[in-house]
Amino acid sequence: MKKRIFVIHTGGTISMQEDKQSGAVKPTDKNPLVSFDHLFDEVATIVSAEPFHLPSPHITPKEMLELKNLIEQTLQKKPFDGVVITHGTDTLEETAYFLDLTLTTDVPVVVTGAMRSSNEIGADGLYNLISSVRVAACSEAKGKGVMVVLNDEIHSADNVTKTHTSNISTFQSPQYGPIGIITKRKVLFHHEPAIRRKIPVAAVDKRVALIKAYAGMDSYLLSALKELHYDGVVIEALGQGNLPPAAVSAVKELINEKIPVVLVSRCFNGIVQDIYGYEGGGKQLKELGVIFSNGLNGQKARLKLLIALGSEQASINLEALFES
């Protein structure tokens, strides 16, 4: 029996074309992917939607919330065996992670994209879309959270990140690797996320900043966040979770104003820990009330904090949330 797959097109390189005269890659009047629905006739019945057509740098949490609502409302009206989302790659991992945190369905949800536009030599978009439909239609994919599928690999939304500006194998999961692979004949899973945390989201209107630490960092930029009325901040700290001493006074100011400060590492492997006891070290920061995140990168930690601050739950323990 053929599976029913809901395919949502949102824009991005996968739906763009290269102008042969200027070399510029840009959106076209018609999404070229829509004309390929017939290629899936033997695998699945495809129902398509295109709620917006945007390059991924134009995607905001509002569009992510729109996708979440569209998926849940559609699944409530009609039964589908899987969902596939085509998306630009620049913010693909953020949309995937947002949906992983907020969607309540166990139906497989796959996000995919392309590094080459639809009319370039070696275009990877159609192949990635076919692979994603195969994964979404696979019974073993159920209950594994939101997945990212490109280049014959299946990644979990919380671990995957874009690692190269242009290479088609850009999407990697640095600490844990892919959770599965796609061959010509099979979809093979070899592990799955151990923890899946859901946050009931109501709004995405809070202001959360993402700041990267650097040698010689002072307090001015962090202090400005308080004056600009930000609701939270994520800092990509040095090493295992340390900051230059000149930045500590601003961290104290933010915490005293009840503005949550979440710490991740600017390294792409490992987690932050309260190890070092010098001025600006992780132990001091932990004692001040800084929240340590368990392995997320900066952009995903920012989304997690944004969703938590706008959650339907009256009170969320942020420290416990970021430990999981």
Side-chain angles (χ1 to χ4, degrees):
M1 183 177 177
K2 287 201 300 183
K3 301 292 184 72
R4 283 172 50 84
I5 305 297
F6 183 40
V7 178
I8 306 172
H9 298 296
T10 69
T13 299
I14 192 171
S15 64
M16 295 182 186
Q17 292 187 346
E18 181 183 55
D19 184 283
K20 295 304 181 183
Q21 291 184 333
S22 67
V25 176
K26 54 188 178 181
T28 57
D29 293 335
K30 183 179 179 182
N31 189 330
L33 291 173
V34 176
S35 61
F36 291 111
D37 284 356
H38 67 280
L39 294 179
F40 303 100
D41 287 345
E42 294 183 5
V43 180
T45 299
I46 301 296
V47 176
S48 298
E50 191 173 31
F52 44 82
H53 189 76
L54 296 171
S56 62
H58 296 194
I59 300 289
T60 74
K62 290 182 179 179
E63 282 76 33
M64 298 175 194
L65 182 59
E66 183 179 344
L67 287 175
K68 182 255 187 191
N69 291 334
L70 173 62
I71 292 169
E72 291 185 338
Q73 291 166 8
T74 301
L75 294 180
Q76 286 174 0
K77 294 176 183 176
K78 295 180 181 179
F80 281 92
D81 299 292
V83 178
V84 173
I85 302 168
T86 64
H87 196 289
T89 59
D90 285 349
T91 59
L92 186 151
E93 66 188 88
E94 289 167 86
T95 293
Y97 185 62
F98 181 99
L99 295 174
D100 193 53
L101 283 176
T102 59
L103 280 173
T104 56
T105 181
D106 277 337
V107 170
V109 177
V110 176
V111 188
T112 191
M115 296 303 292
R116 297 171 183 156
S117 57
S118 61
N119 64 336
E120 289 184 66
I121 295 174
D124 53 328
L126 182 57
Y127 183 84
N128 286 336
L129 177 57
I130 293 171
S131 297
S132 298
V133 170
R134 290 178 60 199
V135 172
C138 172
S139 57
E140 290 79 10
K142 187 175 181 180
K144 288 185 170 57
V146 176
M147 295 160 284
V148 170
V149 169
L150 291 96
N151 202 37
D152 285 334
E153 293 183 337
I154 309 166
H155 295 265
S156 65
D158 56 345
N159 292 320
V160 73
T161 191
K162 187 175 182 179
T163 65
H164 194 284
T165 58
S166 58
N167 196 297
I168 61 170
S169 62
T170 180
F171 282 93
Q172 304 289 329
S173 296
Q175 298 205 76
Y176 307 107
I179 64 172
I181 61 172
I182 303 146
T183 70
K184 289 184 180 297
R185 293 179 176 84
K186 293 181 179 180
V187 174
L188 301 170
F189 289 96
H190 43 72
H191 66 272
E192 62 185 85
I195 300 173
R196 292 185 58 203
R197 179 67 185 263
K198 298 295 181 181
I199 309 174
V201 61
V204 288
D205 53 1
K206 300 296 183 180
R207 304 184 72 197
V208 178
L210 174 59
I211 304 293
K212 190 165 191 168
Y214 51 87
M217 181 182 186
D218 57 31
S219 63
Y220 290 102
L221 188 56
L222 289 172
S223 293
L225 297 178
K226 182 185 68 173
E227 304 303 324
L228 294 170
H229 305 293
Y230 271 75
D231 301 293
V233 58
V234 174
I235 304 174
E236 290 188 2
L238 308 174
Q240 292 191 66
N242 311 302
L243 292 176
V248 175
S249 61
V251 172
K252 292 179 181 177
E253 290 177 16
L254 292 169
I255 292 173
N256 288 339
E257 291 292 324
K258 308 299 182 185
I259 299 172
V261 178
V262 175
L263 213 66
V264 303
S265 178
R266 68 179 195 178
C267 304
F268 60 83
N269 275 319
I271 64 173
V272 287
Q273 302 177 81
D274 54 334
I275 301 296
Y276 290 98
Y278 50 72
E279 179 76 7
K283 187 170 180 59
Q284 181 197 35
L285 297 176
K286 184 82 167 181
E287 291 171 351
L288 289 175
V290 172
I291 299 162
F292 281 53
S293 178
N294 186 18
L296 288 174
N297 63 24
Q299 54 268 35
K300 291 180 185 176
R302 177 188 170 272
L303 278 176
K304 193 172 192 177
L305 182 56
L306 176 73
I307 294 166
L309 292 176
S311 173
E312 293 173 334
Q313 291 182 358
S315 178
I316 290 181
N317 184 325
L318 292 178
E319 187 171 1
L321 178 67
F322 277 93
E323 285 179 353
S324 62

Coordinates of all heavy atoms in Angstrom, one line a residue, residues 220-255:
Y220 N 31.0 45.8 27.3 CA 30.1 46.8 26.7 C 28.9 46.2 25.9 O 27.8 46.6 26.0 CB 30.9 47.7 25.8 CG 31.8 48.6 26.6 CD1 33.2 48.4 26.7 CD2 31.3 49.8 27.2 CE1 34.0 49.2 27.4 CE2 32.1 50.6 28.0 CZ 33.5 50.3 28.1 OH 34.3 51.1 28.8
L221 N 29.2 45.2 25.0 CA 28.2 44.6 24.2 C 27.1 43.9 25.0 O 25.9 44.1 24.8 CB 28.8 43.7 23.2 CG 27.8 43.1 22.1 CD1 27.2 44.3 21.3 CD2 28.6 42.2 21.1
L222 N 27.5 43.2 26.0 CA 26.6 42.5 26.9 C 25.8 43.5 27.7 O 24.6 43.3 27.9 CB 27.4 41.5 27.8 CG 27.9 40.3 27.1 CD1 28.8 39.5 28.1 CD2 26.8 39.3 26.6
S223 N 26.4 44.5 28.2 CA 25.7 45.5 29.0 C 24.6 46.2 28.1 O 23.6 46.6 28.6 CB 26.7 46.6 29.5 OG 27.5 46.0 30.5
A224 N 24.9 46.4 26.9 CA 24.0 47.1 26.0 C 22.7 46.3 25.8 O 21.6 46.8 25.6 CB 24.6 47.3 24.6
L225 N 22.8 44.9 26.0 CA 21.6 44.1 25.9 C 20.5 44.4 26.9 O 19.3 44.4 26.7 CB 21.9 42.6 26.0 CG 22.9 42.1 24.9 CD1 23.2 40.6 25.1 CD2 22.2 42.2 23.5
K226 N 21.0 44.8 28.1 CA 20.1 45.2 29.2 C 19.4 46.5 28.8 O 18.2 46.6 29.0 CB 20.9 45.4 30.5 CG 20.0 45.7 31.7 CD 20.8 46.0 32.9 CE 21.7 47.3 32.7 NZ 22.4 47.6 34.0
E227 N 20.1 47.4 28.3 CA 19.6 48.7 27.9 C 18.6 48.6 26.7 O 17.7 49.4 26.6 CB 20.7 49.7 27.5 CG 21.7 49.9 28.7 CD 21.1 50.4 30.0 OE1 20.1 51.2 29.9 OE2 21.6 49.9 31.0
L228 N 18.9 47.6 25.9 CA 18.0 47.4 24.7 C 16.8 46.5 25.0 O 16.1 46.1 24.1 CB 18.9 46.8 23.5 CG 19.9 47.7 23.0 CD1 20.9 46.9 22.0 CD2 19.3 48.9 22.2
H229 N 16.7 46.1 26.2 CA 15.5 45.4 26.7 C 15.4 44.0 26.1 O 14.3 43.5 25.7 CB 14.2 46.1 26.5 CG 14.2 47.5 27.1 ND1 14.3 47.7 28.4 CD2 14.3 48.7 26.5 CE1 14.3 49.1 28.7 NE2 14.3 49.7 27.5
Y230 N 16.5 43.3 26.0 CA 16.5 41.9 25.6 C 16.0 41.0 26.7 O 16.2 41.3 27.9 CB 17.9 41.4 25.1 CG 18.2 41.7 23.7 CD1 18.4 43.0 23.2 CD2 18.1 40.7 22.7 CE1 18.7 43.2 21.9 CE2 18.3 40.9 21.4 CZ 18.6 42.2 21.0 OH 18.8 42.4 19.6
D231 N 15.3 39.9 26.3 CA 14.7 39.0 27.3 C 15.7 37.9 27.7 O 15.4 37.2 28.6 CB 13.4 38.4 26.7 CG 12.4 39.5 26.4 OD1 11.9 40.2 27.3 OD2 12.2 39.7 25.1
G232 N 16.7 37.6 26.9 CA 17.7 36.6 27.2 C 18.9 36.7 26.3 O 18.8 37.4 25.3
V233 N 19.9 35.9 26.6 CA 21.1 36.0 25.8 C 21.8 34.6 25.9 O 21.8 33.9 26.9 CB 22.1 37.1 26.3 CG1 22.5 36.9 27.7 CG2 23.3 37.1 25.4
V234 N 22.3 34.1 24.7 CA 23.1 33.0 24.7 C 24.5 33.4 24.3 O 24.7 34.2 23.4 CB 22.6 32.0 23.6 CG1 23.6 30.8 23.4 CG2 21.2 31.5 24.0
I235 N 25.5 32.9 25.1 CA 26.9 33.3 24.8 C 27.7 32.0 24.3 O 27.6 31.0 25.0 CB 27.6 33.8 26.0 CG1 26.8 35.1 26.6 CG2 29.1 34.2 25.7 CD1 27.4 35.6 27.9
E236 N 28.3 32.1 23.2 CA 29.2 31.1 22.7 C 30.5 31.3 23.4 O 31.3 32.1 23.0 CB 29.4 31.1 21.2 CG 28.1 30.6 20.5 CD 28.4 30.4 19.0 OE1 29.5 30.7 18.5 OE2 27.4 30.1 18.3
A237 N 30.8 30.6 24.5 CA 31.9 30.9 25.4 C 33.2 30.2 24.9 O 33.1 29.4 23.9 CB 31.6 30.4 26.8
L238 N 34.3 30.5 25.5 CA 35.6 29.9 25.2 C 35.7 28.5 25.8 O 35.2 28.3 26.9 CB 36.7 30.7 25.7 CG 36.7 32.2 25.3 CD1 37.8 33.0 26.0 CD2 36.8 32.4 23.8
G239 N 36.2 27.5 25.0 CA 36.5 26.2 25.6 C 35.4 25.5 26.3 O 34.3 25.4 25.7
Q240 N 35.6 25.1 27.5 CA 34.6 24.3 28.3 C 33.6 25.2 28.9 O 32.7 24.7 29.6 CB 35.3 23.5 29.3 CG 36.1 22.3 28.7 CD 36.6 21.3 29.8 OE1 35.7 20.6 30.4 NE2 37.8 21.3 30.0
G241 N 33.7 26.5 28.7 CA 32.6 27.4 29.2 C 33.3 28.5 30.1 O 32.9 28.7 31.3
N242 N 34.1 29.3 29.5 CA 34.9 30.4 30.2 C 34.7 31.7 29.4 O 34.5 31.7 28.2 CB 36.3 30.0 30.3 CG 36.5 28.6 30.9 OD1 36.0 28.3 31.9 ND2 37.2 27.7 30.1
L243 N 34.9 32.8 30.1 CA 34.8 34.1 29.5 C 36.0 35.0 29.9 O 36.5 34.8 31.0 CB 33.5 34.8 29.9 CG 32.2 34.3 29.3 CD1 31.0 35.0 29.9 CD2 32.2 34.3 27.8
P244 N 36.4 35.9 29.1 CA 37.5 36.9 29.6 C 37.0 37.6 30.8 O 35.7 37.9 30.9 CB 37.6 37.8 28.4 CG 37.2 37.0 27.2 CD 36.1 36.1 27.7
P245 N 37.8 37.9 31.8 CA 37.4 38.5 33.0 C 36.6 39.8 32.9 O 35.8 40.2 33.6 CB 38.7 38.7 33.8 CG 39.8 38.6 32.8 CD 39.3 37.7 31.7
A246 N 37.0 40.6 31.8 CA 36.3 41.9 31.6 C 34.9 41.8 31.3 O 34.1 42.8 31.4 CB 37.1 42.7 30.5
A247 N 34.4 40.6 30.9 CA 33.0 40.4 30.5 C 32.1 40.0 31.6 O 30.9 40.1 31.6 CB 32.9 39.4 29.4
V248 N 32.7 39.7 32.8 CA 32.0 39.1 33.9 C 31.0 40.1 34.5 O 29.9 39.8 34.9 CB 32.9 38.5 34.9 CG1 32.2 38.0 36.2 CG2 33.7 37.4 34.3
S249 N 31.4 41.4 34.6 CA 30.6 42.4 35.3 C 29.3 42.5 34.5 O 28.2 42.7 35.2 CB 31.3 43.7 35.3 OG 31.6 44.2 34.0
A250 N 29.3 42.4 33.2 CA 28.0 42.5 32.4 C 27.2 41.3 32.6 O 25.9 41.4 32.7 CB 28.4 42.7 30.9
V251 N 27.8 40.1 32.8 CA 27.0 38.9 33.0 C 26.3 39.1 34.4 O 25.1 38.7 34.5 CB 27.9 37.7 33.0 CG1 27.2 36.4 33.5 CG2 28.5 37.4 31.7
K252 N 27.0 39.6 35.4 CA 26.3 39.8 36.7 C 25.1 40.8 36.5 O 24.1 40.6 37.1 CB 27.3 40.4 37.6 CG 28.4 39.5 38.1 CD 29.4 40.2 39.0 CE 30.5 39.3 39.5 NZ 31.5 40.0 40.3
E253 N 25.3 41.9 35.7 CA 24.2 42.8 35.5 C 23.0 42.2 34.9 O 21.9 42.4 35.4 CB 24.7 43.9 34.6 CG 25.7 44.9 35.2 CD 26.2 45.9 34.1 OE1 25.5 46.1 33.1 OE2 27.3 46.5 34.3
L254 N 23.2 41.3 33.9 CA 22.1 40.7 33.2 C 21.4 39.8 34.2 O 20.1 39.8 34.2 CB 22.6 39.9 32.0 CG 23.1 40.7 30.9 CD1 23.9 39.8 29.8 CD2 22.0 41.5 30.2
I255 N 22.1 39.0 34.9 CA 21.5 38.0 35.9 C 20.7 38.8 37.0 O 19.6 38.4 37.4 CB 22.5 37.1 36.4 CG1 23.0 36.2 35.3 CG2 21.9 36.2 37.6 CD1 24.2 35.3 35.7

